[in-house]
Amino acid sequence: MPFVPHTADDEQQMLATIGVSSIEALFDEIPKALRSGVLKQTPTGISEMDLLRLMGERAKQDQVRLSFLGAGAYHHHIPSAVWDLVGRGEFMTAYTPYQAEASQGTLQLIYEFQTMISRLTAMEVANASVYEGASAMAEAILMAVRANRKSKSHRILCAGSVHPNYLSACRNIVRNQNLHIDVVDTGDQSGTLDMAQMAVYEGQDYAALVVPYPNFFGALEDVDALTDWAAAQGMLVIAVVNPVALALLKPPGEWGAQGADIVVGEGQPLGVPLSSGGPYLGFMCCKQALVRQMPGRIIGRTNDLDGKTGFTLTLQAREQHIRRAKATSNICTNQGLLVTAATIHMSLLGDQGLYAVACDCHGGMMNLLNKALGIPGVSRRFSAAVFHEVVLRLPKPAAAVLATMAGDGILGGYDLGLVSPALADCMLTNVTETKNEADIDAFVSSLRRACEG
Amino acid sequence: MLIYEIGASGRSARAQYPVTQYPAAGEIPEALRRKVPAGLPEVSELQVVRHYTNLSQKNFAIDTQFYPLGSCTMKYNPRGAHKVAGLAGFLNRHPLAPEQFSQGFLSCLFELQEYLKDVTGMRAVSLTPMAGAQGEFAGVAMIRAYHEKNGDTQRTEILIPTAAHGTNPATAVMCGYQVREVAVGKDGDVDIEALRAAVGPQTAGLMMTNPSTCGVFERKIQEIADLVHEAGGLLYYDGANLNAILGKVKPGDMGFDVLHMNLHKTFATPHGGGGPGSGPVGVGPRLEPFVPTPIVGKRQTADGDVYYWRDKTEIPDSIGNLSAFMGNAGILIRAYAYARLLGKEGMNRVGEYATLNANYMARRLEQAGFKLAYPERRATHEFIITMSREAKELGVNAMDFAKRLLDYGYHAPTTYFPLLIPECLLIEPTETESKEELDGFCDALISILAEARETPELLTNAPVTLPVKRLDDVKAARDLDLVWKQSSSRTI
């Protein structure tokens, strides 16, 4: 009986205390007709040794030699200390810090996280995280509609260069609250929003403008101009950012004259493994004035009875367990364990380390780009500056090129034909600090063969 | 001390830096570059390791003590399940990796879908929701999509018993519904007459937890299901308490059309200090066309079975994706591993021993003079005691008992929930706790009751053995201090 510690004696004594003859008797309030028979699809139990063998074989099937896939999830070096510490039972097997006195470890750590992520984004406050990047963007949209005092609009304007999965997830999440997301087309040459095109939306009533940075194509939007434009229109600005890029790029709190109002993003690049898409963490920051409209857990610093510093859940009057139907969101958890990883990761890297990582990502990407452009028929699809990801136009459909490269054990990037038929000959390729010169050369020679073959 | 306060300007953990080979800034335009460093900590690697090790030791956790937090199912999280999720092939698999490099992962997910269908009696399962609350969202969004597809747009209300978790009404509102609460009777079951009065052509559905948050099995569930179905509404099962009935009753057999499961509860994945969770949804035939994407399908080919993602092209009426990728994959791998370790026999015993433990504790505490909220009922996997008498006669409330338990080395039960029972503690031991541990906890509560009579200040001042005493929550909300504002390091 795995994990059930009862001996036959224990069981008999316990049943005697309860005053019943069998465990079965404890289920006597359940109508007989509802009792289920044996499970049919579930196999019999196995030992841990057999489990490790089975799963070892399955995991091995999924290993690739080299991957240049990014598109919203990025492979970075994670210091060994990060998951050694995260894996401590005291972090991993605790729950929501409802009993603050018995949860000061988790609470202080989240306060440190809120501090670090606010500083990285140059925003005033942060929450304790939400599920991941796309749902963070959805929460930001709902928050902006609640928070915008100048506009009662239920419409949001969103850059078409945002990650397509983010856009669809947001639409799926906000649809039933009668919110509409209008999309501004991406400039066909630049791969970014065109300020001249924004004029079409002037004078229209939108609660917020969503600006991705870098955008889905890896490119850098003209964030200052977009922020000032949105502010002039009475829209809030929601920034959707990559946290590693912010070590090198202007943080959203400094965009334009007033900065972004709400900043969200995928925290995975900060110490969280790719792990097939989750668990990750969505971070969420905002201006102080908007904090009461922010969803999710928030940790505050306070004093105990003796005046000693301590940490506790705060502003709980926004949350579902208090406000029920009037809550800011139904969200009931944060991504505590991943926040733990991101906090330790940021502590270990510091400003200088994260800057070095960002420079290495960008430099490696430029190096790959320059080498790839030497292949006949390969060109750069968009003109805007990029961070660590670039769209390559290929002499053949991207699907065919990627399939050939996969034969070499290399995932060359993401097939943009899956996003738009107009981009069927394009792939989105990412380089991080994990790729050295030899890796980049292996990519380039595989790509050359795939384009020529 | 904060991590910032142990740092010093210029200190760093150099082994973690890449050796930069490229000129800084490259093609990034000057106007888009960061001018001032963010202000992250400046600390050595040892300082980081020591700081966070010490912080971890300020937490109560399942691995360190009994944690009978009601409705949260804090059972043992097997290390073997954790280990397999960390295998390189799973850990490094990119969410958008092609199917040819994903068969190992997809086969686990496909089989997990099958097991979850089996234990819940549902027609299809989607693993994509990332927590219970997102599973609820997916479930109610499907109910809405179903009514819309039928042109049945006058259904504007979701019925929710008053004992429900706060996520239920919050979810209904996120899905554009109004909430109508239904009273719960003195015996802990839904008041059928109140339900009869509330249900009608405006009813989109009913959200229910069974066993309910009152710690009892809803005996009239078939009658409830019939009432809601006859009115054209659908039934949503909140799987928060699935641990109580695992292997004993299937929600599908009770008449539910849709449910979510909390794998971090019933399938023993770690709670992580507040997340990640995992909240797969299961659906019956009515809602099958609307399941959130992606789900894993299996194709038979000449070379054997091939697993693949089924998305909106195959499930056109789906409510769609709810996150950037497929969900909390690493948690699903752990849940799959747990299911394999338990097997069908082990799953049957989960509900049995969780129920045995709860009933044993309830009986022991009742014999010692504690008042059960529902003394005439069988406890399920959890039960409620109410301290309203002690609050009135001795001036010590449920929170005082909870805080004093911390001094005894036990995590407190859930306090003040469900809202309809005054001064309550909701106690859920789970099946993985031994009789010795349960006895120790009961003895502690009995001893605290004696303290309450003799020296109540031991309770009202508690805790006194932890890193901090009771915290000033009013100050925390009034003088908001959410980020550290001082400069990042000591200056030289």
Side-chain angles (χ1 to χ4, degrees), chain A residues 6 11 29 41 111-112 119-120 308 334, chain B residues 34 52 118 274 353 357 467 481 486:
Chain A
H6 301 60
E11 195 176 316
E29 289 192 0
Q41 302 301 320
Y111 178 86
E112 292 178 355
R119 290 178 173 206
L120 199 52
K308 189 176 171 189
N334 68 328
Chain B
R34 182 165 203 137
Y52 289 106
D118 200 18
Y353 286 87
N357 278 358
D481 176 359
Q486 297 174 47

mmCIF file with all atom_site columns, all heavy atoms in Angstrom, chain A residues 6 11 29 41 111-112 119-120 308 334, chain B residues 34 52 118 274 353 357 467 481 486:
data_model
loop_
_atom_site.group_PDB
_atom_site.id
_atom_site.type_symbol
_atom_site.label_atom_id
_atom_site.label_alt_id
_atom_site.label_comp_id
_atom_site.label_asym_id
_atom_site.label_entity_id
_atom_site.label_seq_id
_atom_site.pdbx_PDB_ins_code
_atom_site.Cartn_x
_atom_site.Cartn_y
_atom_site.Cartn_z
_atom_site.occupancy
_atom_site.B_iso_or_equiv
_atom_site.pdbx_formal_charge
_atom_site.auth_seq_id
_atom_site.auth_comp_id
_atom_site.auth_asym_id
_atom_site.auth_atom_id
_atom_site.pdbx_PDB_model_num
ATOM 1   N N   . HIS A 1 6   ? -0.707  2.662  7.662   1.00 0.00 ? 6   HIS A N   1
ATOM 2   C CA  . HIS A 1 6   ? -1.477  1.943  8.674   1.00 0.00 ? 6   HIS A CA  1
ATOM 3   C C   . HIS A 1 6   ? -1.124  0.464  8.733   1.00 0.00 ? 6   HIS A C   1
ATOM 4   O O   . HIS A 1 6   ? -1.128  -0.214 7.706   1.00 0.00 ? 6   HIS A O   1
ATOM 5   C CB  . HIS A 1 6   ? -2.975  2.076  8.402   1.00 0.00 ? 6   HIS A CB  1
ATOM 6   C CG  . HIS A 1 6   ? -3.456  3.489  8.382   1.00 0.00 ? 6   HIS A CG  1
ATOM 7   N ND1 . HIS A 1 6   ? -2.978  4.415  7.490   1.00 0.00 ? 6   HIS A ND1 1
ATOM 8   C CD2 . HIS A 1 6   ? -4.348  4.145  9.159   1.00 0.00 ? 6   HIS A CD2 1
ATOM 9   C CE1 . HIS A 1 6   ? -3.567  5.591  7.709   1.00 0.00 ? 6   HIS A CE1 1
ATOM 10  N NE2 . HIS A 1 6   ? -4.409  5.449  8.720   1.00 0.00 ? 6   HIS A NE2 1
ATOM 11  N N   . GLU A 1 11  ? -5.408  -0.027 12.213  1.00 0.00 ? 11  GLU A N   1
ATOM 12  C CA  . GLU A 1 11  ? -6.724  0.044  11.594  1.00 0.00 ? 11  GLU A CA  1
ATOM 13  C C   . GLU A 1 11  ? -7.806  -0.448 12.561  1.00 0.00 ? 11  GLU A C   1
ATOM 14  O O   . GLU A 1 11  ? -8.848  0.206  12.709  1.00 0.00 ? 11  GLU A O   1
ATOM 15  C CB  . GLU A 1 11  ? -6.700  -0.809 10.318  1.00 0.00 ? 11  GLU A CB  1
ATOM 16  C CG  . GLU A 1 11  ? -7.847  -0.555 9.397   1.00 0.00 ? 11  GLU A CG  1
ATOM 17  C CD  . GLU A 1 11  ? -7.720  -1.369 8.108   1.00 0.00 ? 11  GLU A CD  1
ATOM 18  O OE1 . GLU A 1 11  ? -6.603  -1.427 7.530   1.00 0.00 ? 11  GLU A OE1 1
ATOM 19  O OE2 . GLU A 1 11  ? -8.724  -1.948 7.687   1.00 0.00 ? 11  GLU A OE2 1
ATOM 20  N N   . GLU A 1 29  ? -23.084 6.654  3.928   1.00 0.00 ? 29  GLU A N   1
ATOM 21  C CA  . GLU A 1 29  ? -23.979 7.752  3.529   1.00 0.00 ? 29  GLU A CA  1
ATOM 22  C C   . GLU A 1 29  ? -24.043 7.931  2.014   1.00 0.00 ? 29  GLU A C   1
ATOM 23  O O   . GLU A 1 29  ? -24.821 8.734  1.509   1.00 0.00 ? 29  GLU A O   1
ATOM 24  C CB  . GLU A 1 29  ? -23.534 9.067  4.187   1.00 0.00 ? 29  GLU A CB  1
ATOM 25  C CG  . GLU A 1 29  ? -23.804 9.101  5.683   1.00 0.00 ? 29  GLU A CG  1
ATOM 26  C CD  . GLU A 1 29  ? -23.627 10.498 6.265   1.00 0.00 ? 29  GLU A CD  1
ATOM 27  O OE1 . GLU A 1 29  ? -23.292 11.441 5.504   1.00 0.00 ? 29  GLU A OE1 1
ATOM 28  O OE2 . GLU A 1 29  ? -23.811 10.649 7.478   1.00 0.00 ? 29  GLU A OE2 1
ATOM 29  N N   . GLN A 1 41  ? -9.306  1.296  -16.669 1.00 0.00 ? 41  GLN A N   1
ATOM 30  C CA  . GLN A 1 41  ? -8.224  1.776  -17.530 1.00 0.00 ? 41  GLN A CA  1
ATOM 31  C C   . GLN A 1 41  ? -6.918  1.986  -16.783 1.00 0.00 ? 41  GLN A C   1
ATOM 32  O O   . GLN A 1 41  ? -5.891  2.260  -17.382 1.00 0.00 ? 41  GLN A O   1
ATOM 33  C CB  . GLN A 1 41  ? -8.617  3.114  -18.183 1.00 0.00 ? 41  GLN A CB  1
ATOM 34  C CG  . GLN A 1 41  ? -9.880  3.061  -19.008 1.00 0.00 ? 41  GLN A CG  1
ATOM 35  C CD  . GLN A 1 41  ? -9.793  2.051  -20.129 1.00 0.00 ? 41  GLN A CD  1
ATOM 36  O OE1 . GLN A 1 41  ? -8.763  1.925  -20.776 1.00 0.00 ? 41  GLN A OE1 1
ATOM 37  N NE2 . GLN A 1 41  ? -10.854 1.301  -20.329 1.00 0.00 ? 41  GLN A NE2 1
ATOM 38  N N   . TYR A 1 111 ? 8.491   38.664 -1.003  1.00 0.00 ? 111 TYR A N   1
ATOM 39  C CA  . TYR A 1 111 ? 8.741   40.114 -0.880  1.00 0.00 ? 111 TYR A CA  1
ATOM 40  C C   . TYR A 1 111 ? 10.030  40.475 -1.641  1.00 0.00 ? 111 TYR A C   1
ATOM 41  O O   . TYR A 1 111 ? 10.087  41.485 -2.342  1.00 0.00 ? 111 TYR A O   1
ATOM 42  C CB  . TYR A 1 111 ? 8.851   40.485 0.594   1.00 0.00 ? 111 TYR A CB  1
ATOM 43  C CG  . TYR A 1 111 ? 9.156   41.939 0.855   1.00 0.00 ? 111 TYR A CG  1
ATOM 44  C CD1 . TYR A 1 111 ? 8.130   42.892 0.916   1.00 0.00 ? 111 TYR A CD1 1
ATOM 45  C CD2 . TYR A 1 111 ? 10.468  42.368 1.067   1.00 0.00 ? 111 TYR A CD2 1
ATOM 46  C CE1 . TYR A 1 111 ? 8.412   44.227 1.164   1.00 0.00 ? 111 TYR A CE1 1
ATOM 47  C CE2 . TYR A 1 111 ? 10.759  43.706 1.328   1.00 0.00 ? 111 TYR A CE2 1
ATOM 48  C CZ  . TYR A 1 111 ? 9.725   44.631 1.365   1.00 0.00 ? 111 TYR A CZ  1
ATOM 49  O OH  . TYR A 1 111 ? 10.006  45.953 1.613   1.00 0.00 ? 111 TYR A OH  1
ATOM 50  N N   . GLU A 1 112 ? 11.036  39.640 -1.518  1.00 0.00 ? 112 GLU A N   1
ATOM 51  C CA  . GLU A 1 112 ? 12.281  39.877 -2.264  1.00 0.00 ? 112 GLU A CA  1
ATOM 52  C C   . GLU A 1 112 ? 12.040  39.770 -3.769  1.00 0.00 ? 112 GLU A C   1
ATOM 53  O O   . GLU A 1 112 ? 12.578  40.547 -4.559  1.00 0.00 ? 112 GLU A O   1
ATOM 54  C CB  . GLU A 1 112 ? 13.364  38.887 -1.805  1.00 0.00 ? 112 GLU A CB  1
ATOM 55  C CG  . GLU A 1 112 ? 13.814  39.143 -0.370  1.00 0.00 ? 112 GLU A CG  1
ATOM 56  C CD  . GLU A 1 112 ? 14.865  38.159 0.150   1.00 0.00 ? 112 GLU A CD  1
ATOM 57  O OE1 . GLU A 1 112 ? 15.203  37.189 -0.569  1.00 0.00 ? 112 GLU A OE1 1
ATOM 58  O OE2 . GLU A 1 112 ? 15.336  38.368 1.269   1.00 0.00 ? 112 GLU A OE2 1
ATOM 59  N N   . ARG A 1 119 ? 12.175  46.214 -9.741  1.00 0.00 ? 119 ARG A N   1
ATOM 60  C CA  . ARG A 1 119 ? 13.378  46.934 -10.149 1.00 0.00 ? 119 ARG A CA  1
ATOM 61  C C   . ARG A 1 119 ? 13.758  46.613 -11.590 1.00 0.00 ? 119 ARG A C   1
ATOM 62  O O   . ARG A 1 119 ? 14.182  47.488 -12.342 1.00 0.00 ? 119 ARG A O   1
ATOM 63  C CB  . ARG A 1 119 ? 14.529  46.589 -9.203  1.00 0.00 ? 119 ARG A CB  1
ATOM 64  C CG  . ARG A 1 119 ? 14.314  47.185 -7.816  1.00 0.00 ? 119 ARG A CG  1
ATOM 65  C CD  . ARG A 1 119 ? 15.415  46.811 -6.854  1.00 0.00 ? 119 ARG A CD  1
ATOM 66  N NE  . ARG A 1 119 ? 15.241  47.543 -5.590  1.00 0.00 ? 119 ARG A NE  1
ATOM 67  C CZ  . ARG A 1 119 ? 16.221  47.836 -4.756  1.00 0.00 ? 119 ARG A CZ  1
ATOM 68  N NH1 . ARG A 1 119 ? 17.445  47.454 -5.030  1.00 0.00 ? 119 ARG A NH1 1
ATOM 69  N NH2 . ARG A 1 119 ? 15.965  48.499 -3.641  1.00 0.00 ? 119 ARG A NH2 1
ATOM 70  N N   . LEU A 1 120 ? 13.618  45.353 -11.950 1.00 0.00 ? 120 LEU A N   1
ATOM 71  C CA  . LEU A 1 120 ? 13.973  44.963 -13.322 1.00 0.00 ? 120 LEU A CA  1
ATOM 72  C C   . LEU A 1 120 ? 13.072  45.658 -14.343 1.00 0.00 ? 120 LEU A C   1
ATOM 73  O O   . LEU A 1 120 ? 13.517  46.048 -15.421 1.00 0.00 ? 120 LEU A O   1
ATOM 74  C CB  . LEU A 1 120 ? 13.853  43.438 -13.437 1.00 0.00 ? 120 LEU A CB  1
ATOM 75  C CG  . LEU A 1 120 ? 14.564  42.734 -14.585 1.00 0.00 ? 120 LEU A CG  1
ATOM 76  C CD1 . LEU A 1 120 ? 16.033  43.105 -14.657 1.00 0.00 ? 120 LEU A CD1 1
ATOM 77  C CD2 . LEU A 1 120 ? 14.415  41.217 -14.423 1.00 0.00 ? 120 LEU A CD2 1
ATOM 78  N N   . LYS A 1 308 ? 8.900   43.555 15.706  1.00 0.00 ? 308 LYS A N   1
ATOM 79  C CA  . LYS A 1 308 ? 9.893   42.920 14.847  1.00 0.00 ? 308 LYS A CA  1
ATOM 80  C C   . LYS A 1 308 ? 9.361   42.831 13.410  1.00 0.00 ? 308 LYS A C   1
ATOM 81  O O   . LYS A 1 308 ? 8.172   42.587 13.198  1.00 0.00 ? 308 LYS A O   1
ATOM 82  C CB  . LYS A 1 308 ? 10.157  41.517 15.409  1.00 0.00 ? 308 LYS A CB  1
ATOM 83  C CG  . LYS A 1 308 ? 11.303  40.786 14.796  1.00 0.00 ? 308 LYS A CG  1
ATOM 84  C CD  . LYS A 1 308 ? 11.501  39.445 15.543  1.00 0.00 ? 308 LYS A CD  1
ATOM 85  C CE  . LYS A 1 308 ? 12.509  38.577 14.799  1.00 0.00 ? 308 LYS A CE  1
ATOM 86  N NZ  . LYS A 1 308 ? 12.557  37.223 15.354  1.00 0.00 ? 308 LYS A NZ  1
ATOM 87  N N   . ASN A 1 334 ? -0.444  31.534 -6.441  1.00 0.00 ? 334 ASN A N   1
ATOM 88  C CA  . ASN A 1 334 ? 0.580   32.111 -7.307  1.00 0.00 ? 334 ASN A CA  1
ATOM 89  C C   . ASN A 1 334 ? 1.443   30.927 -7.734  1.00 0.00 ? 334 ASN A C   1
ATOM 90  O O   . ASN A 1 334 ? 1.108   29.786 -7.474  1.00 0.00 ? 334 ASN A O   1
ATOM 91  C CB  . ASN A 1 334 ? 1.354   33.209 -6.574  1.00 0.00 ? 334 ASN A CB  1
ATOM 92  C CG  . ASN A 1 334 ? 2.212   32.659 -5.463  1.00 0.00 ? 334 ASN A CG  1
ATOM 93  O OD1 . ASN A 1 334 ? 1.864   31.667 -4.833  1.00 0.00 ? 334 ASN A OD1 1
ATOM 94  N ND2 . ASN A 1 334 ? 3.327   33.279 -5.219  1.00 0.00 ? 334 ASN A ND2 1
ATOM 95  N N   . ARG B 2 34  ? 19.015  50.123 -21.765 1.00 0.00 ? 34  ARG B N   1
ATOM 96  C CA  . ARG B 2 34  ? 18.867  50.439 -20.342 1.00 0.00 ? 34  ARG B CA  1
ATOM 97  C C   . ARG B 2 34  ? 20.041  51.309 -19.919 1.00 0.00 ? 34  ARG B C   1
ATOM 98  O O   . ARG B 2 34  ? 21.189  51.010 -20.240 1.00 0.00 ? 34  ARG B O   1
ATOM 99  C CB  . ARG B 2 34  ? 18.841  49.145 -19.531 1.00 0.00 ? 34  ARG B CB  1
ATOM 100 C CG  . ARG B 2 34  ? 18.643  49.381 -18.060 1.00 0.00 ? 34  ARG B CG  1
ATOM 101 C CD  . ARG B 2 34  ? 18.258  48.098 -17.295 1.00 0.00 ? 34  ARG B CD  1
ATOM 102 N NE  . ARG B 2 34  ? 17.580  48.545 -16.080 1.00 0.00 ? 34  ARG B NE  1
ATOM 103 C CZ  . ARG B 2 34  ? 16.487  48.023 -15.581 1.00 0.00 ? 34  ARG B CZ  1
ATOM 104 N NH1 . ARG B 2 34  ? 15.911  47.004 -16.152 1.00 0.00 ? 34  ARG B NH1 1
ATOM 105 N NH2 . ARG B 2 34  ? 15.930  48.534 -14.497 1.00 0.00 ? 34  ARG B NH2 1
ATOM 106 N N   . TYR B 2 52  ? 18.951  31.490 1.482   1.00 0.00 ? 52  TYR B N   1
ATOM 107 C CA  . TYR B 2 52  ? 17.703  30.810 1.135   1.00 0.00 ? 52  TYR B CA  1
ATOM 108 C C   . TYR B 2 52  ? 17.540  29.482 1.869   1.00 0.00 ? 52  TYR B C   1
ATOM 109 O O   . TYR B 2 52  ? 16.412  29.040 2.105   1.00 0.00 ? 52  TYR B O   1
ATOM 110 C CB  . TYR B 2 52  ? 17.554  30.684 -0.391  1.00 0.00 ? 52  TYR B CB  1
ATOM 111 C CG  . TYR B 2 52  ? 17.275  32.052 -0.983  1.00 0.00 ? 52  TYR B CG  1
ATOM 112 C CD1 . TYR B 2 52  ? 18.253  32.753 -1.690  1.00 0.00 ? 52  TYR B CD1 1
ATOM 113 C CD2 . TYR B 2 52  ? 16.062  32.686 -0.743  1.00 0.00 ? 52  TYR B CD2 1
ATOM 114 C CE1 . TYR B 2 52  ? 18.021  34.037 -2.178  1.00 0.00 ? 52  TYR B CE1 1
ATOM 115 C CE2 . TYR B 2 52  ? 15.812  33.966 -1.219  1.00 0.00 ? 52  TYR B CE2 1
ATOM 116 C CZ  . TYR B 2 52  ? 16.795  34.627 -1.936  1.00 0.00 ? 52  TYR B CZ  1
ATOM 117 O OH  . TYR B 2 52  ? 16.538  35.899 -2.387  1.00 0.00 ? 52  TYR B OH  1
ATOM 118 N N   . ASP B 2 118 ? -11.036 7.407  -16.138 1.00 0.00 ? 118 ASP B N   1
ATOM 119 C CA  . ASP B 2 118 ? -11.416 6.208  -15.408 1.00 0.00 ? 118 ASP B CA  1
ATOM 120 C C   . ASP B 2 118 ? -11.863 6.544  -13.981 1.00 0.00 ? 118 ASP B C   1
ATOM 121 O O   . ASP B 2 118 ? -12.915 6.075  -13.525 1.00 0.00 ? 118 ASP B O   1
ATOM 122 C CB  . ASP B 2 118 ? -10.195 5.267  -15.374 1.00 0.00 ? 118 ASP B CB  1
ATOM 123 C CG  . ASP B 2 118 ? -10.569 3.819  -15.090 1.00 0.00 ? 118 ASP B CG  1
ATOM 124 O OD1 . ASP B 2 118 ? -11.752 3.467  -15.256 1.00 0.00 ? 118 ASP B OD1 1
ATOM 125 O OD2 . ASP B 2 118 ? -9.664  3.041  -14.717 1.00 0.00 ? 118 ASP B OD2 1
ATOM 126 N N   . GLY B 2 274 ? 2.404   27.600 -2.467  1.00 0.00 ? 274 GLY B N   1
ATOM 127 C CA  . GLY B 2 274 ? 1.271   28.346 -3.024  1.00 0.00 ? 274 GLY B CA  1
ATOM 128 C C   . GLY B 2 274 ? 1.084   28.086 -4.505  1.00 0.00 ? 274 GLY B C   1
ATOM 129 O O   . GLY B 2 274 ? 0.284   28.753 -5.154  1.00 0.00 ? 274 GLY B O   1
ATOM 130 N N   . TYR B 2 353 ? -8.503  5.373  3.390   1.00 0.00 ? 353 TYR B N   1
ATOM 131 C CA  . TYR B 2 353 ? -7.688  5.719  4.558   1.00 0.00 ? 353 TYR B CA  1
ATOM 132 C C   . TYR B 2 353 ? -7.752  7.204  4.886   1.00 0.00 ? 353 TYR B C   1
ATOM 133 O O   . TYR B 2 353 ? -7.599  7.600  6.047   1.00 0.00 ? 353 TYR B O   1
ATOM 134 C CB  . TYR B 2 353 ? -6.253  5.196  4.389   1.00 0.00 ? 353 TYR B CB  1
ATOM 135 C CG  . TYR B 2 353 ? -6.246  3.697  4.588   1.00 0.00 ? 353 TYR B CG  1
ATOM 136 C CD1 . TYR B 2 353 ? -6.500  2.826  3.511   1.00 0.00 ? 353 TYR B CD1 1
ATOM 137 C CD2 . TYR B 2 353 ? -6.087  3.151  5.845   1.00 0.00 ? 353 TYR B CD2 1
ATOM 138 C CE1 . TYR B 2 353 ? -6.565  1.461  3.694   1.00 0.00 ? 353 TYR B CE1 1
ATOM 139 C CE2 . TYR B 2 353 ? -6.145  1.778  6.045   1.00 0.00 ? 353 TYR B CE2 1
ATOM 140 C CZ  . TYR B 2 353 ? -6.388  0.925  4.966   1.00 0.00 ? 353 TYR B CZ  1
ATOM 141 O OH  . TYR B 2 353 ? -6.456  -0.422 5.173   1.00 0.00 ? 353 TYR B OH  1
ATOM 142 N N   . ASN B 2 357 ? -8.876  8.150  8.655   1.00 0.00 ? 357 ASN B N   1
ATOM 143 C CA  . ASN B 2 357 ? -8.114  9.085  9.488   1.00 0.00 ? 357 ASN B CA  1
ATOM 144 C C   . ASN B 2 357 ? -8.995  10.234 9.984   1.00 0.00 ? 357 ASN B C   1
ATOM 145 O O   . ASN B 2 357 ? -8.931  10.617 11.149  1.00 0.00 ? 357 ASN B O   1
ATOM 146 C CB  . ASN B 2 357 ? -6.924  9.648  8.700   1.00 0.00 ? 357 ASN B CB  1
ATOM 147 C CG  . ASN B 2 357 ? -5.728  8.698  8.712   1.00 0.00 ? 357 ASN B CG  1
ATOM 148 O OD1 . ASN B 2 357 ? -5.778  7.641  9.338   1.00 0.00 ? 357 ASN B OD1 1
ATOM 149 N ND2 . ASN B 2 357 ? -4.664  9.068  8.027   1.00 0.00 ? 357 ASN B ND2 1
ATOM 150 N N   . PRO B 2 467 ? 9.623   32.321 14.316  1.00 0.00 ? 467 PRO B N   1
ATOM 151 C CA  . PRO B 2 467 ? 10.496  33.477 14.050  1.00 0.00 ? 467 PRO B CA  1
ATOM 152 C C   . PRO B 2 467 ? 9.840   34.826 14.336  1.00 0.00 ? 467 PRO B C   1
ATOM 153 O O   . PRO B 2 467 ? 10.527  35.795 14.650  1.00 0.00 ? 467 PRO B O   1
ATOM 154 C CB  . PRO B 2 467 ? 10.809  33.336 12.559  1.00 0.00 ? 467 PRO B CB  1
ATOM 155 C CG  . PRO B 2 467 ? 10.635  31.887 12.264  1.00 0.00 ? 467 PRO B CG  1
ATOM 156 C CD  . PRO B 2 467 ? 9.546   31.412 13.171  1.00 0.00 ? 467 PRO B CD  1
ATOM 157 N N   . ASP B 2 481 ? 3.885   48.282 2.142   1.00 0.00 ? 481 ASP B N   1
ATOM 158 C CA  . ASP B 2 481 ? 5.321   48.153 1.899   1.00 0.00 ? 481 ASP B CA  1
ATOM 159 C C   . ASP B 2 481 ? 5.508   46.845 1.127   1.00 0.00 ? 481 ASP B C   1
ATOM 160 O O   . ASP B 2 481 ? 5.629   45.775 1.716   1.00 0.00 ? 481 ASP B O   1
ATOM 161 C CB  . ASP B 2 481 ? 6.058   48.132 3.249   1.00 0.00 ? 481 ASP B CB  1
ATOM 162 C CG  . ASP B 2 481 ? 7.561   47.904 3.096   1.00 0.00 ? 481 ASP B CG  1
ATOM 163 O OD1 . ASP B 2 481 ? 8.037   47.734 1.949   1.00 0.00 ? 481 ASP B OD1 1
ATOM 164 O OD2 . ASP B 2 481 ? 8.262   47.891 4.119   1.00 0.00 ? 481 ASP B OD2 1
ATOM 165 N N   . GLN B 2 486 ? 15.139  50.885 -0.334  1.00 0.00 ? 486 GLN B N   1
ATOM 166 C CA  . GLN B 2 486 ? 16.476  51.439 -0.144  1.00 0.00 ? 486 GLN B CA  1
ATOM 167 C C   . GLN B 2 486 ? 17.408  51.014 -1.270  1.00 0.00 ? 486 GLN B C   1
ATOM 168 O O   . GLN B 2 486 ? 17.115  50.102 -2.025  1.00 0.00 ? 486 GLN B O   1
ATOM 169 C CB  . GLN B 2 486 ? 17.044  50.978 1.203   1.00 0.00 ? 486 GLN B CB  1
ATOM 170 C CG  . GLN B 2 486 ? 16.210  51.491 2.368   1.00 0.00 ? 486 GLN B CG  1
ATOM 171 C CD  . GLN B 2 486 ? 16.683  50.914 3.676   1.00 0.00 ? 486 GLN B CD  1
ATOM 172 O OE1 . GLN B 2 486 ? 17.866  50.910 3.954   1.00 0.00 ? 486 GLN B OE1 1
ATOM 173 N NE2 . GLN B 2 486 ? 15.760  50.412 4.466   1.00 0.00 ? 486 GLN B NE2 1
#
